[in-house]
Amino acid sequence: MARDTFYITTPIYYVNDLPHIGHIYTTVVADTVARYKRMRGFDVRFLTGTDEHGQKMDRTAKQQGLPPKALADRVVSRYHELWRTLSITNDDFIRTTEPRHHAGVHALIALLKAKGDIYKGSYEGWYCAGCEAFFPESQLVDGKCPDQGHPVEMLKEESYFFRLSAYQEPLLRFYRENPECIRPASRYNEVVRFVEMGLKDLSISRVSLKWGIPWPGDPEHVVYVWLDALANYITALGFGSADQTLYRRYWPATLHFVGKDILRFHCVYWPAFLMSADLPLPEQVFGHGWWLRDERKMSKSLGNVVRPDYLIERFGPDALRYFLLREMTFGQDASFSDEGFLGRYNADLANGLGNASSRVLAMARRYFDGKTPPEPCEESPLRDVAEGAVRRYIEAMDDYEFQRALEGIWELLTAVDGYVNEKAPWAIVKAEGVTSLRVGRVLYNCLEALRLAAVMVGPVMPGTAARLLAQLGITPAVATENALRWGGLAVNRMLGEEGALFPRADVEAFFAEVNVDESKPDGATAPATAEGDLLGIEEFARMKLVVGQVMVAERVPKSKKLVRLEVDLGEGSLRQLVAGIGAQYEPERLIGRRIVVVANLKPAVLMGVESRGMLLAASVEGAPYLLSVDADVPPGTGVK
Ligand code: ME8
């Protein structure tokens, strides 16, 4: 029997800048759902990709002195790298600069034209390059775009139009007949209200911009970037090409996951284009909330983004995946903070999951010669709790309530702990010996509950689930629905390697090191330099850069990275600096070395040690490489 298909997509991201936590969030959520649906037996197709045309991209490339395609290639490689690091299991990655996409966009436009929904006119109005959207004057707020407060500019040019106004009634009918087509319900209401206010025809080509897909038959125009971008969901399936297999199998999409910022494009323009082309409409668009920093949306244009490379490097991809899904009530906004991340890491991962599993596994190793117990256990209160947790998990995951699903798993882990305390296996062993059937049953129950927790947590933390299953002696295999049934743990089987899943984080040391890292230049994430960002020579001259010679160097106690240095800057006494270089450099080997120091930096205290200056280092993916001088110049020599 053919399996039910599940086609899930993320937005395709702009490549005018590097990915940040917002892009990671949508992609991790989609990956979690894709993994969960695969486990439940669906025939899943998971698509992500990049949106490479448009004015914003054209401008950034010009500012950086690069052809747009070269900038896109560079940023796309960072996306690929990041998705690999985060174990994203997308089946395809579409770029709007690919020929397969161009062909599909032209095929879609041909259908809109054939329907009589495209005409040529002239456009006069306000354009927001930040949102790549047109706004009527009446909608501007303080002369800026109403959605995100970006600046707008007047455009007056010849343009092709799409008869969006003709779709107001059909769209409203569609929303009425499909109340689940937009979620959550608050977003559904928002879209309906927007459409009820009336729709104007939409300008869908640009003449003043060259960076885009040429308009079919009129190459003076390029296709409007949103018509181009939205089509990715079908062009990636081969729409408009000779091979329609994937398109026939997976379209219409089951779910478009998007941030609430781009709801209108997905819930108004996209279904209108599809209606005009007589193509089926996606079943659901889910608009999730925003990650905020200081109460504002994190966005590239606001410059307040979090790029969590340092968190991934330090705590692994699964910890970040877990945090994102656990912290945000799906659909609402949430605030991102390192404190929040570390709090969850220690409480839920190091303590909750880590402790419950290591405690139970240690007992099983001790009492059963490193094996699982010799007999299964059919009935127990823990089994009831575990089966309840699985039911709740399925219900919550089916509803995209990840927070609730995870809470259920953690309640099961707490129940395992409580059960161990209550049954006190060590006391049974003392009274009845290790061959006691009772102790075997108790531990079987605990191990089986852990196995179920590992399977359930798999879609969110795939690496951790595989490690925990391996510790339970189960060779990691793709979990199927059966894995969610009680009783799957084999008896008398060798347990796997020991090892802490999540070592506890030293919060104080972490912040001390992050503060050091943040004051370092990092070429890999340096933002594009715009004209306004350039430094005057007088500003540069305020910085006192001098050569220093290291006289004392030792590790700061309890820190992996921090090193305390005493440096001769030719001042008559030594200067104390603290630097985050301990992972790359052995302190003793630094003694006598000449380095470059910023001598007039405000003092800072790092893990209780005062630093009165900063040494300079090149930073490659967070790893520092010290700057040095070519000759043995005297300490205190100025650097310009
Ligand atoms: O809009 N919080 O691309 P984009 C949560 N190319 N999610 C966020 C976020 C935040 N602070 N910031 C971004 C585009 N996102 C278009 C899409 S689709 C046919 C074309 C996520 O690079 C969220 O999913 O600006 C949002 O919708 C998307 O990134 C916008 O990415």
Side-chain angles (χ1 to χ4, degrees):
M1 206 177 74
R3 291 178 302 152
D4 283 343
T5 57
F6 195 95
Y7 179 32
I8 177 168
T9 66
T10 73
I12 49 171
Y13 305 112
Y14 289 128
V15 282
N16 63 320
D17 201 356
L18 301 172
H20 63 68
I21 202 88
H23 309 113
I24 292 180
Y25 177 68
T26 315
T27 312
V28 163
V29 169
D31 184 62
T32 298
V33 173
R35 286 173 180 271
Y36 169 73
K37 292 291 174 184
R38 284 188 204 111
M39 169 161 93
R40 302 293 311 279
F42 283 82
D43 170 9
V44 172
R45 181 107 189 144
F46 169 20
L47 174 72
T48 187
T50 43
D51 184 354
E52 306 190 1
H53 293 129
Q55 185 159 320
K56 190 153 56 170
M57 184 64 186
D58 191 51
R59 282 209 182 134
T60 313
K62 283 202 178 97
Q63 276 166 6
Q64 299 197 12
L66 286 171
K69 181 65 169 43
L71 173 62
D73 289 346
R74 189 183 286 179
V75 176
V76 164
S77 70
R78 291 298 294 266
Y79 269 98
H80 283 305
E81 219 176 278
L82 188 61
W83 296 161
R84 235 188 340 266
T85 306
L86 287 164
S87 304
I88 302 298
T89 54
N90 52 305
D91 298 291
D92 194 358
F93 187 105
I94 180 125
R95 300 182 57 179
T96 55
T97 46
E98 288 175 74
R100 62 170 172 160
H101 178 68
H102 287 205
V105 169
H106 279 191
L108 179 62
I109 292 175
L111 293 176
L112 309 185
K113 258 190 195 159
K115 196 55 155 313
D117 280 337
I118 292 184
Y119 63 93
K120 204 175 198 175
S122 97
Y123 179 81
E124 185 173 351
W126 298 97
Y127 191 73
C128 167
C131 300
E132 299 278 16
F134 302 96
F135 293 101
E137 175 122 16
S138 60
Q139 279 182 18
L140 300 186
V141 176
D142 297 334
K144 300 213 163 122
C145 105
D147 283 357
Q148 301 200 43
H150 297 131
V152 291
E153 58 203 289
M154 187 52 147
L155 278 186
K156 186 173 181 183
E157 57 184 40
E158 183 188 82
S159 170
Y160 287 96
F161 281 83
F162 172 70
R163 260 183 239 289
L164 185 63
S165 55
Y167 289 90
Q168 179 175 0
E169 280 315 312
L171 281 170
L172 288 171
R173 198 173 326 122
F174 170 71
Y175 303 144
R176 259 196 314 275
E177 287 167 8
N178 299 277
E180 292 279 296
C181 69
I182 304 166
R183 285 189 59 203
S186 54
R187 304 269 142 74
Y188 171 92
N189 295 333
E190 236 170 71
V191 171
V192 171
R193 264 196 308 276
F194 176 82
V195 175
E196 278 171 350
M197 275 163 29
L199 294 175
K200 289 211 164 60
D201 288 352
L202 182 69
S203 161
I204 50 166
S205 77
R206 301 281 311 274
V207 275
S208 55
L209 181 71
K210 294 291 159 246
W211 179 237
I213 298 179
W215 189 264
D218 192 353
E220 281 297 295
H221 290 244
V222 297
V223 177
Y224 170 47
V225 66
W226 270 102
L227 170 55
D228 167 347
L230 287 162
N232 90 88
Y233 301 127
I234 53 176
T235 63
L237 296 177
F239 175 82
S241 79
D243 184 356
Q244 298 283 299
T245 323
L246 288 174
Y247 176 76
R248 273 201 299 269
R249 179 153 148 200
Y250 293 109
W251 192 255
T254 322
L255 186 58
H256 291 318
F257 262 138
V258 299
K260 63 181 180 181
D261 46 331
I262 54 175
L263 207 63
R264 186 169 14 116
F265 301 98
H266 284 80
C267 301
V268 182
Y269 299 174
W270 182 224
F273 295 149
L274 290 167
M275 281 177 179
S276 166
D278 288 322
L279 299 175
L281 270 46
E283 285 169 27
Q284 193 169 77
V285 177
F286 199 121
H288 65 68
W290 285 336
W291 282 98
L292 309 174
R293 186 91 174 180
D294 307 325
E295 305 306 311
R296 299 187 72 186
K297 176 178 181 250
M298 218 180 270
S299 84
K300 290 177 271 202
S301 32
L302 292 174
N304 62 346
V305 298
V306 177
R307 296 211 169 84
D309 309 34
Y310 61 101
L311 293 178
I312 300 176
E313 192 188 313
R314 181 70 190 269
F315 301 101
D318 278 5
L320 182 66
R321 290 177 62 119
Y322 171 77
F323 175 75
L324 292 175
L325 283 153
R326 177 66 185 75
E327 195 69 9
M328 191 186 261
T329 306
F330 201 52
Q332 296 174 16
D333 291 347
S335 262
F336 191 94
S337 73
D338 288 346
E339 289 81 358
F341 176 87
L342 267 109
R344 284 243 169 259
Y345 177 89
N346 274 339
D348 298 2
L349 300 180
N351 283 354
L353 181 61
N355 280 355
S357 57
S358 65
R359 186 179 184 206
V360 168
L361 280 158
M363 280 191 280
R365 280 197 188 90
R366 198 166 334 123
Y367 303 148
F368 305 104
D369 278 342
K371 294 195 189 130
T372 55
E375 275 186 54
C377 184
E378 296 301 323
E379 301 300 326
S380 88
L382 196 57
R383 173 177 180 164
D384 298 339
V385 176
E387 289 180 337
V390 169
R391 273 195 301 277
R392 177 168 162 197
Y393 168 81
I394 291 177
E395 221 178 81
M397 291 295 283
D398 284 346
D399 234 9
Y400 313 130
E401 289 193 44
F402 312 107
Q403 204 177 29
R404 203 156 69 85
L406 289 167
E407 273 166 11
I409 304 174
W410 261 254
E411 278 171 24
L412 174 60
L413 293 170
T414 309
V416 170
D417 252 353
Y419 179 78
V420 170
N421 293 344
E422 186 200 317
K423 299 286 174 189
W426 50 89
I428 309 180
V429 169
K430 206 163 168 198
E432 304 177 14
V434 282
T435 50
S436 152
L437 283 181
R438 253 187 346 128
V439 85
R441 284 197 206 113
V442 169
L443 279 169
Y444 183 91
N445 287 334
C446 294
L447 292 167
E448 176 59 359
L450 277 187
R451 185 190 67 79
L452 286 174
V455 171
M456 289 193 276
V457 103
V460 179
M461 294 197 284
T464 305
R467 270 191 76 196
L468 181 50
L469 289 172
Q471 294 188 347
L472 290 164
I474 301 164
T475 322
V478 179
T480 60
E481 191 132 41
N482 273 338
L484 285 168
R485 294 216 181 97
W486 180 268
L489 187 80
V491 291
N492 254 329
R493 186 170 49 196
M494 282 309 287
L495 294 166
E497 301 258 313
E498 275 177 82
L501 292 176
F502 293 100
R504 218 185 142 69
D506 179 335
V507 177
E508 200 194 334
F510 172 81
F511 282 110
E513 290 176 15
V514 165
N515 291 340
V516 171
D517 286 349
E518 277 183 351
S519 58
K520 290 266 180 256
D522 181 352
T525 55
T529 312
E531 189 59 33
D533 297 339
L534 296 178
L535 202 66
I537 185 77
E538 52 314 318
E539 280 173 277
F540 176 71
R542 289 191 52 214
M543 216 180 297
K544 190 170 171 215
L545 298 176
V546 296
V547 173
Q549 186 172 19
V550 179
M551 308 307 283
V552 175
E554 61 187 26
R555 289 188 182 276
V556 171
K558 291 210 309 197
S559 168
K560 264 205 273 182
K561 276 197 191 170
L562 295 182
V563 174
R564 189 185 75 84
L565 304 161
E566 288 183 35
V567 184
D568 182 359
L569 299 183
E571 297 172 319
S573 60
L574 300 181
R575 225 8 138 95
Q576 174 168 286
L577 310 181
V578 180
I581 54 176
Q584 278 71 28
Y585 292 91
E586 275 311 320
E588 310 78 72
R589 305 198 47 195
L590 294 169
I591 294 172
R593 184 167 171 156
R594 282 178 171 72
I595 55 175
V596 179
V597 175
V598 187
N600 58 343
L601 203 67
K602 280 193 194 134
V605 177
L606 303 168
M607 281 190 79
V609 186
E610 187 180 50
S611 180
R612 294 176 47 236
M614 181 175 84
L615 55 72
L616 294 188
S619 172
V620 181
E621 313 252 308
Y625 294 87
L626 288 180
L627 295 196
S628 51
V629 260
D630 242 2
D632 286 349
V633 299
T637 307
V639 176
K640 312 183 202 176

